[in-house]
Amino acid sequence: MEEKIKSFLEEINLFLFTNEESAEAFRLKYLSKKGIIPALFEEFKTLPPEQRKTTGKSLNELKQLAEQKLADAKSTINKSPDKDTVKTDLSLPGDPHSLGARHPISIVRKQMTDIFTRIGFVVSEGPEIEDDWHNFGALNFPPNHPARDMQDTFFIDSGDGEKWLLRTHTSSVQVRVMENQQPPIRTISPGRVYRNETISARAHCQFHQVEGLYIDEGVSFADLKQTLYYFVQEMFGDKIEIRFRPSFFPFTEPSAEMDITCLICNGAGCPVCKHSGWVEILGCGMVHPNVLDNCKIDSTKYTGYAFGMGIERITMLKFRINDLRLFFENDIRFLSQFKSVL
Ligand code: 2NL
C-alpha cells in the first residue's frame, strides 16, 4: 500500500491544472466520495495494526497534498482574466485580412473619365435597358440596318407590346442628354453595353464603352483630332502617335477610325498589330445633322463631334492582357494582380 501511495503522490505533484474543468476532473478523480483517496482510506481499515501508523501518516500527507493542490489551482484560475482558455501565446503572428483590389476595367474607366473631365467634359449615365428610339432611331440607323437584327442585338420580350433591348452602345445616353439640354454640350458616357456575339478571346456579349460628345457653334474635325491626341498622350505617354482612316457609321458624317502606334513593339511590327505598327482604338466623326435634328438641336446653327471606344481594348493594351474572357471570369489569380495599381 505504501507503494501505491507513493505513486499517487508523484502523479498529483505532476498534475497540470489549465482551467476549471481540469480542476473539477482532479477533484473527482482523487477527492470525491468515489475517488482514489477515500478508497485508500477504506483499504487502510483492513491493514494489520502494526502497519497502520506509518501508512496512516503517508495517507494523510497524500490527502493534504491533494487538497492543497486543488485549493491553489482554484485560486489561480479565478484570478486569471481568461480563465476558460489554455494559455495564449501572444508572440504568435496574427491572421492577416487580405486587401481587395479594383477591377482593371474600373481602374481604366476612371483614368479615362478623369482625362476628359479635366478638359470640361461632364460624365453622363443612363439605363442599360433601352427602347429602339434611343438606341437606334435617333441615331439615324435605317429601319433595315443589320445591327437591328436578332443576330446582333439582345431584344427583350416584355409582354407589353413595347420593343425593349439591351443597349448596344452608350450613344443612347448621349441621345437622352441632347433631348434634355441645348448646346454647348460636352459629355462623356462610360458604361456596360451588350451585343449578341459568340464569346471568344477577342469578342464578348458584354463589354464596356466610353463615348464622348461635344456640340457647340463652330465645332470642327480639327477639334476632334486635337482632343483625341490629348487623350492618347495622357493615357499612354507622349511618345504615342495617332493616325485617322476614313470609315462609316450611320450617326456620324464624315466618320473615321483612329489608330495609335503599337505599344507592344513601338511601331516596329509584331503579331498584336499584325506587323503594321498600328492598332485601332476608336471610332469617331462629326455628328450627323439628322441626329441633331432628331434630338431637337438646330443643325443649321450647331455642329458637333463624337467618338466611342471600348474600355477592354484600352485595358488590354495598357496591361498587355490577351484574352477578353479574363475580364468577366472574376478569377482571383487574375484580379489580384492589379492590387498595386491605383
Ligand atoms: C466605335 C464607334 C462611335 C459615336 C460612337 C456618337 C454618339 C452620338 C452621336 C454620334 Cl449621340 N456619334 N458616338 C460616334 C462615332 C463612333 O463609336 O467603334 N465604338 C467602339
Side-chain angles (χ1 to χ4, degrees):
M1 197 172 168
E2 281 289 339
E3 281 300 306
K4 259 201 248 174
I5 294 174
K6 217 175 134 197
S7 87
F8 285 130
L9 206 73
E10 270 170 34
E11 207 179 275
I12 288 171
N13 266 322
L14 291 173
F15 191 91
L16 193 65
F17 291 93
T18 49
N19 53 18
E20 261 171 73
E21 281 77 49
S22 65
E24 179 59 8
F26 178 89
R27 191 191 67 78
L28 283 172
K29 183 173 179 189
Y30 296 106
L31 294 163
S32 66
K33 265 189 192 157
K34 289 188 177 164
I36 287 166
I37 292 170
L40 287 171
F41 273 101
E42 285 305 310
E43 198 180 332
F44 171 78
K45 285 182 194 161
T46 66
L47 287 181
E50 61 276 15
Q51 282 181 27
R52 287 197 188 172
K53 201 173 171 200
T54 47
T55 309
K57 196 168 167 252
S58 3
L59 195 52
N60 274 325
E61 278 168 8
L62 180 73
K63 191 181 174 198
Q64 274 162 20
L65 175 76
E67 283 170 347
Q68 190 59 49
K69 280 279 251 183
L70 184 63
D72 289 351
K74 278 188 171 167
S75 78
T76 30
I77 287 165
N78 284 333
K79 264 189 245 149
S80 117
D82 50 353
K83 54 184 178 158
D84 290 335
T85 51
V86 185
K87 268 193 185 159
T88 309
D89 183 352
L90 296 176
S91 68
L92 285 174
D95 297 329
H97 290 280
S98 56
L99 273 182
R102 274 177 187 273
H103 194 284
I105 294 294
S106 305
I107 295 170
V108 173
R109 180 189 52 206
K110 171 99 170 46
Q111 289 176 348
M112 290 168 79
T113 50
D114 282 352
I115 291 170
F116 286 107
T117 52
R118 282 208 287 280
I119 56 168
F121 283 80
V122 174
V123 173
S124 53
E125 286 178 307
E128 290 185 13
I129 297 173
E130 268 295 5
D131 51 56
D132 184 86
W133 172 253
H134 290 97
N135 197 79
F136 294 130
L139 288 159
N140 202 35
F141 279 79
N144 56 349
H145 192 279
R148 293 180 162 208
D149 199 333
M150 290 282 282
Q151 251 93 61
D152 294 286
T153 303
F154 290 114
F155 291 95
I156 297 163
D157 183 8
S158 61
D160 62 1
E162 298 265 358
K163 218 174 149 196
W164 297 100
L165 50 85
L166 294 182
R167 68 181 181 196
T168 60
H169 42 211
T170 54
S171 316
S172 53
V173 179
Q174 302 183 319
V175 169
R176 289 174 183 280
V177 172
M178 288 190 286
E179 284 174 337
N180 292 309
Q181 190 188 321
Q182 282 297 307
I185 291 171
R186 228 186 265 113
T187 189
I188 195 93
S189 315
R192 183 174 292 189
V193 300
Y194 303 86
R195 292 195 192 164
N196 196 354
E197 302 248 14
T198 308
I199 298 170
S200 74
R202 300 171 139 266
H204 211 286
C205 59
Q206 51 173 331
F207 58 99
H208 298 80
Q209 259 199 330
V210 167
E211 288 216 11
L213 176 72
Y214 177 30
I215 303 169
D216 203 348
E217 287 180 51
V219 175
S220 72
F221 203 94
D223 298 322
L224 171 62
K225 285 167 86 174
Q226 193 57 42
T227 306
L228 292 177
Y229 189 48
Y230 154 81
F231 164 72
V232 163
Q233 301 241 312
E234 290 290 302
M235 195 74 208
F236 297 109
D238 53 17
K239 294 207 171 46
I240 298 295
E241 289 182 46
I242 57 173
R243 77 172 185 190
F244 290 84
R245 287 175 290 102
S247 185
F248 176 82
F249 304 108
F251 33 83
T252 45
E253 183 58 37
S255 305
E257 278 165 328
M258 191 181 88
D259 299 339
I260 60 170
T261 27
C262 179
L263 295 157
I264 312 293
C265 63
N266 285 322
C270 70
V272 171
C273 61
K274 297 191 197 89
H275 304 282
S276 70
W278 297 95
V279 285
E280 183 195 321
I281 62 157
L282 59 81
C284 60
M286 299 306 292
V287 180
H288 198 292
N290 290 353
V291 175
L292 296 175
D293 293 338
N294 286 338
C295 301
K296 312 270 177 321
I297 289 174
D298 186 351
S299 62
T300 60
K301 188 174 174 197
Y302 297 108
T303 53
Y305 67 66
F307 56 86
M309 57 190 141
I311 305 181
E312 278 79 1
R313 181 140 188 79
I314 306 286
T315 310
M316 287 168 100
L317 287 169
K318 219 173 154 65
F319 294 127
R320 304 194 173 194
I321 297 161
N322 60 9
D323 193 323
L324 253 179
R325 289 167 291 198
L326 287 164
F327 291 124
F328 300 100
E329 282 165 356
N330 283 336
D331 187 324
I332 209 86
R333 293 168 299 180
F334 172 70
L335 296 178
S336 63
Q337 292 178 56
F338 302 93
K339 268 185 186 169
S340 56
V341 193
L342 216 78

